[in-house]
Amino acid sequence: MHLLTILAAGENPILPAANELIFGTIAFVIVIVGLFKFAFPSLGAMLAERTAKIQGEMEKAETTRLEADKVLAEYRQNLAGARDESNRIIEEARRTADQLRKDLQAKAEQEAQSTVARAQEEIRAERDRVFQELRTQVGEIAVELAGRVVGSSLDKGTHERLIDEYIDEVASGGNGKG
Amino acid sequence: MVHSLGLLAAAVVNVGVPIGKGLVYGLAAIGPGIGIGFLVGKSVEAMARQPEAAGMVRTTMFLGIAFTEALALIGFVLAFIVK
Amino acid sequence: MLAALSGRAGFPAPGIDILKTPCLWGTNGALCVNRVVIYMLLAAIVTVCLFVLAFRRPSLVPRGLQNVMEAIVEFVRNGIAIEVIGPEGLAFVPLLSAIFVFVLVGNLFEVIPGIQFPVNSRTAIPVILAVLVWFVFNIVGVKKQGGLGYIKSVLFPPGVPWPIYILVTPIEFVSTFVLRPFTLFVRLSANMIAGHLILTIFFVGTGYLLGRALTIPFAVPSFALAVGLTGFEILVSVLQAYIFTILTAVYIGGAIHVEH
């Protein structure tokens, strides 16, 4: 009872006055109810949302980064492939050109050789023909000459004339036919 | 004679009570004063020696101050309780 | 001479009586509404408004008031709850930040123009908070360690030879169950009473010194000191709110973690 009267009077500054205790409790209940009912739920929800958002953003950034890495690797690979391809094409072209050159050279050589061979063949054939012809003509002439020698008496003059005629004939005939 | 004795008693009460209150608080403040000074000095030393532990040292320092200060505050309260 | 000493003369120094305020409404009793009561309710409303305005429709990117209140809650979370209690402290962040802001608002009323009365210099709210803290840390301790386990860990700290318990157990009992809440509320109240008295003495003293031509030069340093002390009291207000909250956290942490 004594304590209660002291409390009610609010005499001692260390002991709380009764009215202040009552209203202080009310004030504190206001704070607790107000905060836990109206402030902290939305704060918690907001913090959770923020956490989720930041986490999502980070995950998205990570995914994007991985994707970019992949694309870069692909690009690099493509680039390397293209370089290889171009090298290959150049190499092939060089090889083709080389081959072509060699072929042409070989063909030209062959042609030249064949041309030469044909020319020699022709020359030989012509010569053979001429010889053949010459032989027949010589034979004929010899026969004719022999006939003439046999047919007419040969004096010195006639003989010389005959020989000259023969030589002339041979020369003109060989020249004319050769 | 009786009248002047009464006056003397009143004077002793009127002068003595404030002096007593002052003494109560003043004496109560000596120990915590030394203690807090010592405590903060050591904390500053610790923080200077290991700045990376400054946060922990500061928290502990405030706790120590709070506990040490309680003694002085009890003296302060006592000064009000003395009538 | 004796007669002069038996009476008071000169500057009427403001004493502890300035904390008593007359009833404005209601009878002189349990339902008396005085300035203190009004300021208590005002402090509660301001606290609720701060939180509700900041967090009613919180945006993911904080702005304005929400930024400030988030910084406070974050400070309580990282600087007090996690640092003192540990990961289990996260559950107490709402309670701790409510106590911190409520005490801070009550303290800052000391320097807010037009109010200039620290609500916590009256012991009612500190007592209520200390009782609440007493219940909270005891309930937490009983929940975590069981009734007997908690009593045992408080009264019989391990690692002490048994005869010492004769000395230690009563000390631990008094310090944990009596002195903890007592010092908790006395620390806050006494700091606020002292700060309020000092500010009042220097402001009233400035007015008193201005009253006579001879003492007017002394009014200037008195006023300057009062202004400086106002700044100091802001610091004390924040510091006391911090210490009240951190001690709450320490008590809760001590109940959660068994001391080795």
Side-chain angles (χ1 to χ4, degrees):
Chain A
M1 199 57 219
H2 182 60
L3 183 67
L4 278 182
T5 44
I6 292 176
L7 281 183
E11 278 302 316
N12 196 317
I14 296 307
L15 296 175
N19 62 327
E20 288 167 10
L21 266 185
I22 291 167
F23 284 105
T25 310
I26 294 173
F28 185 63
V29 168
I30 291 174
V31 168
I32 289 297
V33 170
L35 261 51
F36 279 79
K37 207 164 174 64
F38 298 113
F40 289 138
S42 53
L43 172 62
M46 186 272 289
L47 286 181
E49 195 184 334
R50 183 183 292 167
T51 309
K53 189 171 162 64
I54 290 174
Q55 212 157 30
E57 294 281 319
M58 277 167 74
E59 268 164 22
K60 213 161 82 185
E62 183 64 24
T63 328
T64 314
R65 200 181 61 79
L66 284 180
E67 213 163 280
D69 276 359
K70 214 171 70 188
V71 168
L72 186 65
E74 230 164 65
Y75 170 76
R76 284 217 176 108
Q77 207 177 343
N78 282 352
L79 203 63
R83 198 173 293 133
D84 277 0
E85 178 80 8
S86 68
N87 280 347
R88 202 178 56 72
I89 289 173
I90 289 171
E91 191 58 37
E92 200 171 309
R94 189 178 295 139
R95 226 179 12 244
T96 312
D98 230 19
Q99 188 67 37
L100 210 58
R101 194 168 54 78
K102 269 187 199 150
D103 279 3
L104 280 177
Q105 212 168 7
K107 212 163 148 192
E109 236 164 64
Q110 204 182 348
E111 215 158 88
Q113 270 174 1
S114 74
T115 307
V116 168
R118 205 168 52 238
Q120 280 172 347
E121 189 68 31
E122 251 167 43
I123 290 170
R124 204 181 293 125
E126 192 66 18
R127 204 184 52 193
D128 285 355
R129 205 177 48 81
V130 169
F131 269 132
Q132 202 64 40
E133 230 166 65
L134 208 57
R135 201 176 291 137
T136 19
Q137 273 181 9
V138 167
E140 275 170 16
I141 290 168
V143 169
E144 209 182 287
L145 205 57
R148 244 183 244 173
V149 170
V150 173
S152 58
S153 56
L154 277 176
D155 54 2
K156 205 176 168 330
T158 313
H159 187 82
E160 267 179 15
R161 201 185 32 93
L162 267 176
I163 284 170
D164 282 345
E165 265 178 23
Y166 169 70
I167 296 292
D168 280 346
E169 207 164 319
V170 167
S172 71
N175 279 346
K177 295 251 167 109
Chain B
M1 192 61 199
V2 173
H3 177 63
S4 68
L5 267 181
L7 270 183
L8 185 65
V12 165
V13 169
N14 275 338
V15 176
V17 167
I19 290 176
K21 286 184 177 184
L23 278 181
V24 164
Y25 179 64
L27 289 174
I30 293 174
I34 296 171
I36 291 178
F38 199 67
L39 197 158
V40 175
K42 283 285 180 191
S43 304
V44 169
E45 210 172 278
M47 280 190 251
R49 194 169 290 173
Q50 270 181 306
E52 66 274 10
M56 207 193 71
V57 173
R58 195 177 296 118
T59 310
T60 318
M61 180 185 82
F62 278 124
L63 281 178
I65 290 175
F67 287 128
T68 317
E69 191 190 38
L71 298 174
L73 292 172
I74 290 170
F76 179 79
V77 169
L78 213 59
F80 286 123
I81 292 174
V82 170
K83 285 273 172 184
Chain C
M1 167 84 180
L2 283 178
L5 279 175
S6 63
R8 301 268 176 99
F11 173 54
I16 200 73
D17 295 339
I18 58 167
L19 294 174
K20 286 184 203 141
T21 49
C23 283
L24 300 172
W25 182 82
T27 52
N28 265 1
L31 289 176
C32 158
V33 175
N34 51 19
R35 269 178 75 196
V36 182
V37 167
I38 293 171
Y39 293 154
M40 279 173 182
L41 298 175
L42 188 61
I45 290 166
V46 166
T47 307
V48 172
C49 281
L50 280 177
F51 272 96
V52 169
L53 287 181
F55 297 132
R56 187 190 38 189
R57 270 194 298 275
S59 61
L60 286 180
V61 182
R63 213 171 51 235
L65 183 62
Q66 192 192 342
N67 225 339
V68 176
M69 296 311 289
E70 252 184 43
I72 290 176
V73 172
E74 194 137 303
F75 168 71
V76 171
R77 180 179 176 275
N78 296 335
I80 297 178
I82 289 181
E83 182 152 343
V84 175
I85 307 180
E88 297 104 322
L90 284 179
F92 298 98
V93 170
L95 179 71
L96 291 176
S97 37
I99 289 178
F100 179 73
V101 175
F102 188 39
V103 172
L104 183 62
V105 169
N107 287 351
L108 285 178
F109 275 7
E110 181 181 5
V111 293
I112 289 174
I115 299 177
Q116 280 164 330
F117 186 96
V119 172
N120 294 327
S121 68
R122 299 300 289 166
T123 46
I125 283 178
V127 164
I128 293 163
L129 291 177
V131 168
L132 176 91
V133 169
W134 189 88
F135 275 110
V136 167
F137 80 76
N138 281 324
I139 289 172
V140 166
V142 169
K143 256 190 181 172
K144 283 274 167 186
Q145 306 174 26
L148 274 177
Y150 176 60
I151 301 269
K152 190 165 164 289
S153 78
V154 169
L155 295 186
F156 301 98
V160 176
W162 71 264
I164 304 293
Y165 282 135
I166 300 169
L167 196 64
V168 163
T169 303
I171 292 177
E172 285 290 330
F173 178 80
V174 171
S175 99
T176 303
F177 295 113
V178 180
L179 280 183
R180 269 187 186 183
F182 182 73
T183 54
L184 194 59
F185 90 81
V186 164
R187 177 176 301 111
L188 178 57
S189 271
N191 267 296
M192 288 301 112
I193 293 171
H196 187 51
L197 271 178
I198 289 172
L199 287 189
T200 314
I201 284 171
F202 278 103
F203 278 119
V204 171
T206 305
Y208 179 76
L209 290 172
L210 281 176
R212 290 169 201 189
L214 198 64
T215 54
I216 284 180
F218 298 102
V220 177
S222 171
F223 184 71
L225 197 59
V227 171
L229 282 171
T230 304
F232 178 71
E233 283 307 316
I234 295 174
L235 176 73
V236 169
S237 298
V238 177
L239 197 63
Q240 287 307 316
Y242 171 64
I243 285 179
F244 195 96
T245 317
I246 207 169
L247 282 175
T248 304
V250 166
Y251 295 157
I252 293 173
I256 288 179
H257 306 292
V258 186
E259 283 173 35
H260 296 295

